Amino acid sequence: MSPASTGAPTVVVAASSVPPVVDSRVTPGGPGYRRMSFALFLAGVATFALLYSTQALLPLISGEFGVAASEASWTVAAATGGLALFVLPMSALSERFGRRTIMTASLAVAVTVGLLVPFAPSLTALVVLRAVQGAALAGLPASATAYLAEEVTPKALVTAIGLFVAGNSVGGMSGRVITGWVAQEWGWRVAVAVIGVIAVACAVAFRALLPAPKHFVAGSLRPRVLAGTIRDHLANPLLRRLYAIGALFMTVFGGVYTVIGYRLAEAPFGLPQGIVGSVFLVYLVGTVSASTASRLVGRLGRRGALYAGGGTTAAGLLLSLADSLPLVLLGLVLITAGFFAGHAVASSAVSKTATKGRAQASALYQSAYYIGSSTGSTVGAMAFHAEGWAGTVGVGLLAVLGVVTITVVGSRAARVAARRGPVAAH
């Protein structure tokens, strides 16, 4: 029965009266965007300044505790190893309790431990504190990108993540440079104390500036679902290769930068601690290299870019064998450029390859990446203790050979898959 036949009034709803769907996520120039970006930039600075705070100080730590480079290197390996082991659990916790909550708790624990590190009475105590610190810091990379993906519009996401990554590199570089110069005057304990105070300031500002999340939806902690997602990722041959490539590239990088302080402090160079710490300014080369990796992939393809990164790294390793400071520095430039290019190519390929559970796929890459850092720091230092700088270079060249071998295997697998049919090549 029609409204007219019943005498009921006919209601006409104009199409324009229906409110349009408005995307309430943050946009560049919009309310809160600068605060959010700066807050996460500071979180990145604090995280990586703390994570690698002892790396430039290893010769001084060796001297105080009377240990070899292979033992002192555990102050770096324990921190990165702790992060590698806890990045997956932290990513799961952030799904349940919220990104901002986990990031805040992680920084709070890490900076508290950072204030205790200068008072470590022994190398064992120092290593334990650094392991706890690394485990706490795992909550930052596990949550920051997920927070941005939920709170920022897609067009602004790349820029926002770029600022967080910039904070990572600035923190890693400045932490090493600052500790080098401070330690030259007042010792390594004062140097790590200064980094601890800087990290506290960054953490407080981060919590004050970061806007409360508006789009986070809590999930349940279901171990079976998480285990199934991880199992699917590890069953993917391409993802396995990418994880191995990331770990091997970081093995080179971790070994070189853990040991380079010893090489430059000893004969024939004999550089003071401040100058040794300033060598980490070479990281700026990596920022440029990583930002141009997409163009390299466009020209050479992913595998070609990996070959280029590996070749550049190998050339730098060989050049660093010379007893000439300019050549050693040029070698470090090439190692850094090659590493960051390879890392950027591999990590971006992970996100493109994973069709579901991207957060867990990225967390697995980060875990492999930091396992590589711990392995490189430890094995590279052991090789230096046994054979000098040539031993560390040998470890690095073996890792590069691994990258090239894995890439060759991947190329063959892709050709075989292409001949079999239109199935995605793994």
Side-chain angles (χ1 to χ4, degrees):
M1 185 178 293
S2 69
S5 65
T6 61
T10 301
V11 178
V12 179
V13 179
S16 61
S17 66
V18 178
V21 177
V22 179
D23 191 340
S24 60
R25 289 177 293 181
V26 178
T27 58
Y33 180 78
R34 288 185 178 179
R35 285 183 57 194
M36 176 186 295
S37 299
F38 188 53
L40 288 170
F41 174 85
L42 292 175
V45 170
T47 298
F48 283 82
L50 289 171
L51 188 63
Y52 291 103
S53 59
T54 63
Q55 193 172 55
L57 306 173
L58 293 181
L60 298 180
I61 293 173
S62 288
E64 175 168 334
F65 293 118
V67 297
S70 56
E71 296 173 85
S73 69
W74 277 103
T75 64
V76 179
T80 54
L83 193 153
L85 290 174
F86 280 83
V87 67
L88 269 171
M90 286 294 193
S91 70
L93 289 174
S94 76
E95 296 285 349
R96 176 65 181 88
F97 299 106
R99 322 299 185 191
R100 190 172 74 156
T101 299
I102 294 301
M103 287 190 286
T104 301
S106 294
L107 274 179
V109 174
V111 298
T112 300
V113 175
L115 296 177
L116 298 176
V117 165
F119 304 100
S122 65
L123 181 64
T124 300
L126 179 57
V127 169
V128 170
L129 287 172
R130 295 282 291 149
V132 173
Q133 196 172 49
L137 289 171
L140 268 296
S143 305
T145 54
Y147 173 92
L148 288 170
E150 292 163 352
E151 304 298 326
V152 175
T153 57
K155 289 183 178 179
L157 184 59
V158 174
T159 302
I161 290 178
L163 286 172
F164 175 66
V165 173
N168 296 348
S169 61
V170 169
M173 178 188 68
S174 61
R176 293 164 167 100
V177 173
I178 290 170
T179 55
W181 284 105
V182 173
Q184 182 173 308
E185 297 297 328
W186 296 288
W188 72 268
R189 292 181 184 274
V190 174
V192 292
V194 168
I195 293 299
V197 171
I198 292 173
V200 168
C202 288
V204 171
F206 158 80
R207 186 60 180 82
L209 291 171
L210 190 69
K214 297 180 180 179
H215 301 89
F216 171 73
V217 177
S220 61
L221 287 173
R222 294 194 293 175
R224 288 185 179 180
V225 174
L226 178 62
T229 301
I230 293 171
R231 185 172 58 250
D232 290 343
H233 290 328
L234 293 178
N236 185 315
L238 176 54
L239 285 177
R240 288 202 305 268
R241 288 195 291 270
L242 292 171
Y243 296 152
I245 286 171
L248 288 168
F249 265 120
M250 193 54 170
T251 297
V252 181
F253 199 68
V256 165
Y257 277 99
T258 294
V259 175
I260 191 63
Y262 291 94
R263 172 157 167 74
L264 296 179
E266 295 177 355
F269 306 113
L271 298 181
Q273 185 64 42
I275 299 297
V276 170
S278 296
V279 166
F280 290 94
L281 289 169
V282 173
Y283 266 45
L284 294 173
V285 174
T287 303
V288 176
S289 174
S291 65
T292 58
S294 60
R295 279 182 278 175
L296 191 64
V297 172
R299 292 180 181 179
L300 304 176
R302 185 181 70 235
R303 297 181 185 91
L306 289 173
Y307 288 135
T312 302
T313 303
L317 286 166
L318 293 172
L319 201 58
S320 71
L321 288 169
D323 287 336
S324 164
L325 185 58
L327 290 179
V328 170
L329 294 177
L330 178 58
L332 289 177
V333 167
L334 293 177
I335 292 167
T336 304
F339 159 74
F340 273 101
H343 167 47
V345 172
S347 61
S348 62
V350 168
S351 297
K352 292 179 181 178
T353 302
T355 56
K356 64 176 183 178
R358 286 190 173 91
Q360 282 72 40
S362 296
L364 281 169
Y365 178 84
Q366 290 174 15
S367 182
Y369 177 81
Y370 286 108
I371 287 172
S373 177
S374 295
T375 302
S377 298
T378 304
V379 177
M382 290 172 63
F384 180 79
H385 180 68
E387 300 293 338
W389 181 250
T392 303
V393 168
V395 170
L397 290 173
L398 284 174
V400 172
L401 180 61
V403 169
V404 173
T405 302
I406 291 169
T407 307
V408 169
V409 170
S411 299
R412 290 177 178 174
R415 287 195 295 269
V416 170
R419 287 196 296 267
R420 289 177 177 173
V423 180
H426 289 324

